[in-house]
């Protein structure tokens, strides 16, 4: 029974992380994107990915953002999806790193490219945006999108420890016994 259960644990996030994501207008179907990934991989590539995952978790636990790049290395899906479908992935990741990102990766099966920066503290809107790492990375990612003629938007966001939040539900979960957040 235990082998069929998911086990999860919340990881600490270093203070001040900022996520910059490029979301293309066109999105492929996950079932189609799975077809470009090999069903079997070499032991070397599997061990590489497992070691990168351990490295990334350690970087999160220790707050060593400089280790994110190494920890986000991938040989199991990104190279295949970049070659077959997401031509923007490698140039966009390269641009994000050159602009100062600590990490960059294909989010899920794509097409979203996510970059991680740091330096977010205090009131975001009062900071000199032209010098902030997230703005530099956002500009670099936008430039690549424009050069490759890929329509989309760049978003900047911050991680949260609260997880998913239901903002509306139909029918609502709330009833005469209990009121959930926002009356959902």
């Amino acid at each position: 029974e235990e082998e069929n259960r998911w086990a999860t644990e919340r990881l600490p996030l270093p203070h001040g992380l900022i996520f910059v994501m490029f979301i293309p207008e066109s999105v492929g179907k996950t079932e189609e994107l799975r077809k470009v990934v090999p069903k079997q991989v070499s032991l070397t590539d599997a061990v590489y990915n497992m070691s990168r995952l351990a490295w990334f978790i350690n970087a999160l636990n220790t707050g060593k953002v400089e280790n994110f790049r190494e920890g986000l290395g991938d040989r199991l899906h990104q190279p295949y999806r970049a070659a077959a479908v997401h031509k923007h992935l490698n140039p966009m990741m390269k641009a994000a790193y050159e602009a100062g990102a600590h990490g960059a990766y294909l989010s899920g099966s794509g097409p979203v490219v996510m970059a991680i920066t740091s330096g977010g503290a205090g009131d975001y809107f009062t900071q000199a945006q032209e010098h902030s790492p997230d703005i530099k990375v956002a500009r670099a990612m936008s430039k690549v999108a424009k050069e490759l003629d890929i329509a989309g938007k760049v978003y900047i966001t911050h991680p949260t420890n609260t997880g998913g939040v239901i903002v509306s539900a139909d029918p609502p979960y709330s009833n005469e016994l209990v009121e959930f957040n926002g009356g959902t």
Side-chain angles (χ1 to χ4, degrees):
E1 183 179 325
E2 282 189 27
E3 30 184 87
N4 293 327
R5 291 183 47 207
W6 284 90
T8 62
E9 186 71 32
R10 194 175 304 274
L11 290 171
L13 297 175
H15 181 71
L17 289 184
I18 302 171
F19 287 76
V20 181
M21 64 184 100
F22 174 74
I23 303 177
E25 283 182 8
S26 65
V27 179
K29 293 187 176 190
T30 300
E31 62 190 38
E32 294 299 318
L33 295 170
R34 285 186 182 135
K35 292 177 182 176
V36 303
V37 178
K39 297 212 184 303
Q40 293 187 348
V41 297
S42 72
L43 179 60
T44 302
D45 287 347
V47 168
Y48 174 86
N49 265 56
M50 290 182 351
S51 70
R52 298 308 89 187
L53 177 60
W55 190 260
F56 185 63
I57 290 170
N58 187 61
L60 288 171
N61 279 321
T62 60
K64 293 183 178 179
V65 296
E66 66 273 13
N67 290 340
F68 282 13
R69 184 176 187 162
E70 187 74 20
L72 290 168
D74 174 78
R75 293 185 185 166
L76 299 184
H77 81 109
Q78 288 183 172
Y80 302 102
R81 290 188 169 126
V85 184
H86 303 310
K87 307 293 185 194
H88 64 290
L89 175 61
N90 290 332
M92 198 164 283
M93 286 176 49
K94 181 177 188 272
Y97 282 125
E98 288 174 355
H102 300 302
Y105 57 93
L106 183 67
S107 182
S109 60
V112 175
V113 178
M114 188 80 75
I116 307 171
T117 67
S118 63
D123 184 356
Y124 181 79
F125 295 103
T126 62
Q127 297 175 19
Q129 289 190 7
E130 67 272 5
H131 301 297
S132 65
D134 53 319
I135 297 295
K136 290 178 184 176
V137 170
R139 283 189 180 124
M141 293 170 78
S142 292
K143 183 179 178 201
V144 169
K146 189 173 185 173
E147 289 170 354
L148 296 175
D149 197 30
I150 299 174
K153 287 188 176 184
V154 174
Y155 294 88
I156 296 174
T157 189
H158 298 82
T160 177
N161 284 321
T162 60
V165 177
I166 297 172
V167 294
S168 112
D170 187 20
Y173 292 128
S174 298
N175 57 40
E176 62 277 348
L177 175 65
V178 64
E179 177 79 17
F180 288 95
N181 225 2
T184 55

